[in-house]
Amino acid sequence: MTRQHVEGGRPSGIGDRDLIHIVAIVRAMRDAQRFLGTLTVDEFEADDKTQNAVAMAVARAGEHVKGLSATFREHEPETEWKAIAGTRDWIVHGYDELDFGRLYYAVTKELPLVLAVLQPYIEHQSDVVIRNESPFDVPRI
């Protein structure tokens, strides 16, 4: 679904549960961007604390992608939801084998595209507030 489909409010079939997951995904992705900051790929590959923080944030986003309804995912078919969820699995189950250059690319190049898809859903919901005070301040489902 493109931005113009969201302008008039929530698309048909998009429920509160999807909105909770969308808020959590956006929050986790923003955390990943914030944790990475202005590091270069070489700096990121040498900084295990930032690697862990970014990987955990991306894994959180992927976990919430798994909670999105099929209806929502069908409204946004251009977004590779399965790949995002798979990235979560790659991080959680193969952490010792992660390609941090690939993770850096995902956060710097691919993640902004997903945020651009999700942000309009949040902007059109007056009862949804995203706070960045704590990375652990996420909706409970």
Side-chain angles (χ1 to χ4, degrees):
M1 171 175 291
T2 59
R3 184 179 299 265
Q4 63 266 21
H5 291 106
V6 183
E7 296 295 337
R10 186 183 307 179
S12 173
I14 305 303
D16 290 341
R17 194 162 188 81
D18 284 320
L19 288 173
I20 290 170
H21 286 295
I22 290 167
V23 168
I25 293 164
V26 168
R27 188 174 291 145
M29 289 183 169
R30 285 184 181 166
D31 284 347
Q33 289 177 320
R34 182 171 51 87
F35 297 152
L36 187 60
T38 60
L39 293 179
T40 66
V41 68
D42 291 333
E43 291 168 331
F44 179 59
E45 288 180 339
D47 183 346
D48 65 327
K49 287 182 192 177
T50 303
Q51 290 169 1
N52 280 285
V54 170
M56 185 60 185
V58 172
R60 281 183 14 235
E63 185 65 27
H64 282 283
V65 163
K66 291 181 176 193
L68 292 171
S69 70
T71 301
F72 178 81
R73 291 190 309 267
E74 289 166 6
H75 274 86
E76 297 292 349
E78 297 85 22
T79 303
E80 296 184 38
W81 301 114
K82 189 172 183 174
I84 298 167
T87 299
R88 175 260 180 222
D89 295 339
W90 171 60
I91 290 169
V92 171
H93 298 293
Y95 191 84
D96 292 330
E97 300 168 12
L98 287 184
D99 176 346
F100 289 104
R102 175 68 185 102
L103 185 60
Y104 182 92
Y105 179 85
V107 172
T108 59
K109 303 296 184 199
E110 298 170 336
L111 188 142
L113 302 174
V114 179
L115 286 171
V117 168
L118 296 178
Q119 191 60 43
Y121 291 95
I122 294 172
E123 290 171 357
H124 292 75
Q125 302 301 316
S126 61
D127 58 340
V128 177
V129 177
I130 294 183
R131 293 182 298 262
N132 288 322
E133 294 89 36
S134 169
F136 304 105
D137 182 22
V138 296
R140 303 295 185 248
I141 300 171

